[in-house]
Amino acid sequence: TELTPSPELFQVRFGVPTDSVLTRVRRRWAEANCVHRLDEETSGVMVFATNLASTRSFSEAFRERRVEKCYEALVQAAAEDADALPDAGEFRQSMRPLEGFGEARQIVAEDGKRAVTRYEVVERRDKALRLRLWPETGRTHQIRVHCAHAGYPIVGDTLYGPVSADGGLCLHARRIKFEHPTTKEECAYECHAPF
């Protein structure tokens, strides 16, 4: 189902607000849990398990990296750097939380946890690039940190980049593919980026 109301509806936090996509899903499936949630400003595909057994199955699939996630981002590039990024590659920088910020802010650090994001340039503009990104690991803010560290901050990322955009953060969960926890069929869901 596609929903387009205010961004607050899509926030799934540890405390459940009065009205959110999770509370609406739980009206139909009381045991539902969000198994693929997004950063507050990120748009795109979310996945919910309808019962506890499915939640456990999804948790195992994510831990074992059997879920394929594809994101799309619009990143800023200085005019002279727009052609410098190879058409495809990967970012391999370890990450850890910035001291004093908990998980709220991450940094690239040699003593951090392994983090890998594959990317492909799908469009080159004068001062921006459109990237498709596949995080192989699932660190907090991984794509945002990797892009900023490479010198290509995501447009609208006020946490890791200097760029602001009227439309907010230009990071979108474009596609997710996984094995259904009950039927074992391959499932894939896609939602095109709004930017």
Side-chain angles (χ1 to χ4, degrees), residues 173-195:
R174 180 184 174 88
R175 186 170 194 269
I176 191 164
K177 184 169 76 170
F178 55 86
E179 181 182 273
H180 190 282
T182 306
T183 66
K184 306 301 180 197
E185 293 178 50
E186 183 179 283
C187 298
Y189 298 95
E190 189 163 345
C191 177
H192 295 282
F195 49 83

Side-chain angles (χ1 to χ4, degrees), residues 20-163:
S20 71
V21 68
L22 180 58
T23 58
R24 291 183 184 197
V25 169
R26 283 185 174 165
R27 288 179 194 155
R28 180 160 180 185
W29 297 283
E31 294 183 332
N33 282 300
C34 186
V35 294
H36 181 248
R37 67 182 188 87
L38 306 172
D39 289 345
E40 188 173 320
E41 297 177 4
T42 303
S43 60
V45 178
M46 298 173 76
V47 178
F48 293 85
T50 57
N51 57 56
L52 294 176
S54 294
T55 298
R56 285 188 209 99
S57 180
F58 272 114
S59 293
E60 183 178 310
F62 276 102
R63 189 174 46 255
E64 295 175 355
R65 295 182 173 84
R66 291 183 282 122
V67 177
E68 183 181 302
K69 300 174 287 184
C70 176
Y71 288 77
E72 193 162 315
L74 190 62
V75 299
Q76 179 182 340
E80 64 274 7
D81 295 334
D83 292 325
L85 189 68
D87 289 340
E90 59 183 33
F91 303 123
R92 288 185 161 270
Q93 291 85 26
S94 296
M95 297 169 42
R96 68 169 173 78
L98 180 62
E99 287 184 37
F101 288 88
E103 293 290 317
R105 187 158 181 148
Q106 304 289 313
I107 59 170
V108 168
E110 287 183 20
D111 64 340
K113 293 183 178 178
R114 177 180 171 270
V116 179
T117 306
R118 291 182 296 116
Y119 75 86
E120 174 184 314
V121 178
V122 293
E123 181 184 1
R124 293 183 188 271
R125 299 180 184 174
D126 188 29
K127 294 185 180 182
L129 304 171
R130 182 177 295 271
L131 304 179
R132 294 253 168 83
L133 303 121
W134 295 267
E136 292 184 8
T137 50
R139 308 288 172 233
T140 300
H141 297 173
Q142 176 176 319
I143 292 171
R144 296 167 69 178
V145 171
H146 276 166
C147 288
H149 183 76
Y152 298 91
I154 297 174
V155 172
D157 193 343
T158 57
L159 193 57
Y160 298 104
V163 187

